[in-house]
Amino acid sequence: MTWDQMQELMWPATWETLGMVGLSSVITIVVGLPVGLLLVLTDKGGLLQNLAVSRVLGMIVNIGRSIPFIILVVALIPFTRWVTGTTLGWQAASVPLAVGAIPFFARLVETSVREVDPGLVEAVQSMGGSTPTIVRKTLLPESLPSLIAAVTTTVIALIGYSAIAGAVGGGGLGSLAITYGYQRFETAFMWVIVAEIVVIVTVLQTIGDYAARRLSHRGDYASPLAFFRSASARPTEAEEDTLSVH
């Protein structure tokens, strides 16, 4: 197979892969973020403590994470057909991709939010902050660098899942690698596709790491309690008078 023939096949497949990963990533973040927050808020000692809800939600997430993706794709065929009207193509592949990634991302969100200093939450509570206010003004901003890293990890995992989806009619680079690289013994073409996937993953990881570092460096200024921290560090009028005397 010549390079021109490879390019003719690779570009449409690349856009299909980016399309299914992009769509499933958006769905995963929209659904997985609230689920991850609920895992923290409803847990013992949480702002919305409800152990029954916490255990049921945790069990659902654990079951979702335990199912191998290739089995999940097959099991969701009726649901995928109901949602998209078909089981073939990158749009259809986005359904099992999102369903498989939501529990994974929810656990990452839970881990990120749990890392927030409980003292910050107590401080906002003492100032009369409600649960939605604490979530919007403290939990999410303080855990944002870690959440960006979680999003990056999830998107990269979805790229790997998309290759598996290609094996069952999902299209994209995975389908191309199997159809031509494996079934037609075009080994060189398969390695070209692998190299392209490596480049895509590397670029996404670099962007995610850069964004997380930038947000982490801005953390002290972006924090909703930064003013109160700085205010508590300032000397009182009496201390200023004492300092001026000395």
Side-chain angles (χ1 to χ4, degrees), residues 18-115:
L18 295 177
M20 75 173 81
V21 171
L23 179 58
S24 58
S25 296
V26 171
I27 298 172
T28 298
I29 294 169
V30 170
V31 179
L33 182 60
V35 172
L37 287 170
L38 281 175
L39 286 170
V40 177
L41 297 176
T42 59
D43 200 8
K44 186 176 181 180
L47 297 172
L48 300 175
Q49 179 174 316
N50 189 319
L51 296 183
V53 172
S54 178
R55 287 168 183 166
V56 171
L57 195 59
M59 182 176 64
I60 293 173
V61 169
N62 289 338
I63 292 173
R65 293 179 63 196
S66 303
I67 302 175
F69 182 69
I70 188 65
I71 296 176
L72 183 66
V73 172
V74 176
L76 289 175
I77 284 177
F79 179 69
T80 300
R81 183 180 291 112
W82 178 73
V83 173
T84 64
T86 181
T87 58
L88 302 176
W90 68 266
Q91 295 92 340
S94 300
V95 175
L97 281 173
V99 173
I102 286 170
F104 176 76
F105 181 65
R107 283 300 185 191
L108 294 179
V109 171
E110 179 191 12
T111 301
S112 299
V113 174
R114 288 191 188 279
E115 293 175 354

Side-chain angles (χ1 to χ4, degrees), residues 157-193:
L158 282 169
I159 293 175
Y161 289 165
S162 71
I164 299 175
V168 288
L173 293 171
S175 177
L176 208 61
I178 292 170
T179 302
Y180 288 87
Y182 176 71
Q183 295 177 348
R184 300 188 184 183
F185 304 102
E186 295 282 355
T187 306
F189 189 27
M190 183 175 66
W191 284 113
V192 169
I193 294 172

Side-chain angles (χ1 to χ4, degrees), residues 213-227:
R213 284 196 302 269
R214 291 281 296 179
L215 290 170
S216 179
H217 292 159
R218 293 175 53 195
D220 292 337
Y221 302 98
S223 170
L225 297 177
F227 172 78

